[in-house]
Amino acid sequence: DNLLGISWVDSSWIPILNNGSVLDYFSERSNPFYDRTCNNEVVKMQRMTLDHLNQMVGVEYILLHAQEPILFIIRKQQRQSPTQVIPLADYYIIAGVIYQAPDLGSVINSRALTAVHGIQSAFEEAMSYCRYHPSKGYWWHFKDQEEREKTKPKAKKKEEPSSIFQRQRVDALLLDLRQKFPPRFVQQKPGEKPIPVDQIKKEPEPAPEAVKPEEKETVKNAQSAGAKGPPEKRMRLQ
């Protein structure tokens, strides 16, 4: 089992922890880090001193470093001979709380997972700001940019006046549409209800007055005289 995520403490031992009692504190039966099949348990049951551990073979616990009263480091090792041991694990006690020190592989694995998680989170956040449109392509759209655009006063766009060519073309198009689709209702005065075109009464056109033939001759003579001008004026011009 992985014991790197747990800790153990017995508050009754904290006031009396020192170099001589720390191994007894570590060998408590409720301590999950302690192996009861170790040589320390055999020495304890036979009431021998810790110096006999050098003459035995197997798993044992030793006090590696002490900084009273706050820090103690205990090592678990495999003894093969009085002069040859293989370290298995290290445990540190800070203010009476026992932790297992992580090995190099666990440290590298944890740092690598932390870095990968940070990169993945940054990539996902960056992808949430990415936008794409077939006509525009790719661009970035940030949330703070939306807030700036909302708080920024919008400048009124100046309407450009239409040119003469545009007005003439619009008038021609409207006239063409009017001829193709004549209006069915007409509003004679503003504010009045529109009236169908069929109900509008057409005023009768005035009949041409009868002109006597004598009057027609006088009118023709007057028109010809007006075109030629008076004879006196013509003589003066010559």
Side-chain angles (χ1 to χ4, degrees):
D1 297 337
N2 189 4
L3 302 177
L4 295 175
I6 65 174
S7 63
W8 181 84
V9 62
D10 188 352
S11 57
S12 62
W13 281 82
I14 294 177
I16 59 174
L17 277 180
N18 52 43
N19 294 351
S21 63
V22 67
L23 285 176
D24 295 332
Y25 173 61
F26 190 83
S27 62
E28 284 288 327
R29 292 187 176 273
S30 58
N31 182 12
F33 304 108
Y34 182 67
D35 186 3
R36 295 184 183 88
T37 62
C38 64
N39 294 337
N40 297 66
E41 191 71 14
V42 175
V43 170
K44 184 177 180 181
M45 294 186 66
Q46 294 181 2
R47 295 182 180 181
M48 294 186 296
T49 61
L50 296 177
D51 297 335
H52 289 83
L53 291 175
N54 297 333
Q55 307 300 325
M56 303 175 68
V57 177
V59 178
E60 64 182 21
Y61 293 92
I62 64 169
L63 180 60
L64 184 65
H65 177 75
Q67 186 177 346
E68 293 184 5
I70 191 68
L71 176 63
F72 302 93
I73 299 177
I74 295 176
R75 171 167 290 179
K76 180 182 180 181
Q77 59 189 9
Q78 177 76 32
R79 180 170 293 277
Q80 297 180 348
S81 68
T83 58
Q84 187 177 3
V85 292
I86 300 175
L88 299 178
D90 289 335
Y91 306 92
Y92 56 95
I93 304 173
I94 299 179
V97 184
I98 303 176
Y99 305 91
Q100 181 176 350
D103 56 316
L104 183 59
S106 300
V107 173
I108 294 175
N109 188 23
S110 177
R111 297 294 177 87
L113 289 176
T114 304
V116 170
H117 177 71
I119 294 172
Q120 186 177 1
S121 301
F123 183 75
E124 292 176 356
E125 186 175 0
M127 288 299 297
S128 64
Y129 298 134
C130 181
R131 299 290 184 272
Y132 173 77
H133 193 271
S135 61
K136 297 181 180 179
Y138 290 95
W139 75 93
W140 297 104
H141 186 75
F142 298 100
K143 294 180 181 178
D144 56 350
Q145 186 176 359
E146 292 182 357
E147 296 177 356
R148 291 177 183 175
E149 290 178 356
K150 290 179 181 179
T151 56
K152 185 178 180 180
K154 296 182 179 180
K156 295 182 179 180
K157 295 183 179 180
K158 295 182 179 180
E159 297 181 357
E160 297 181 358
S162 58
S163 61
I164 299 175
F165 173 76
Q166 291 174 342
R167 291 195 292 271
Q168 290 178 353
R169 292 297 301 167
V170 171
D171 293 342
L173 291 173
L174 292 176
L175 182 61
D176 187 19
L177 291 173
R178 181 182 176 84
Q179 292 176 356
K180 289 181 180 179
F181 308 100
R184 297 181 181 179
F185 296 89
V186 176
Q187 187 179 15
Q188 295 181 348
K189 294 181 180 180
E192 292 184 355
K193 187 177 180 180
I195 303 173
V197 179
D198 301 337
Q199 297 180 5
I200 298 176
K201 296 180 179 180
K202 295 183 179 180
E203 296 180 358
E205 295 180 357
E209 296 179 356
V211 182
K212 297 180 180 181
E214 296 178 356
E215 293 178 358
K216 288 182 179 180
E217 290 180 359
T218 55
V219 171
K220 288 181 180 179
N221 293 333
Q223 290 177 355
S224 61
K228 293 180 181 180
E232 294 179 359
K233 191 178 284 187
R234 289 172 60 190
M235 289 297 294
R236 289 176 183 175
L237 290 172
Q238 291 178 0

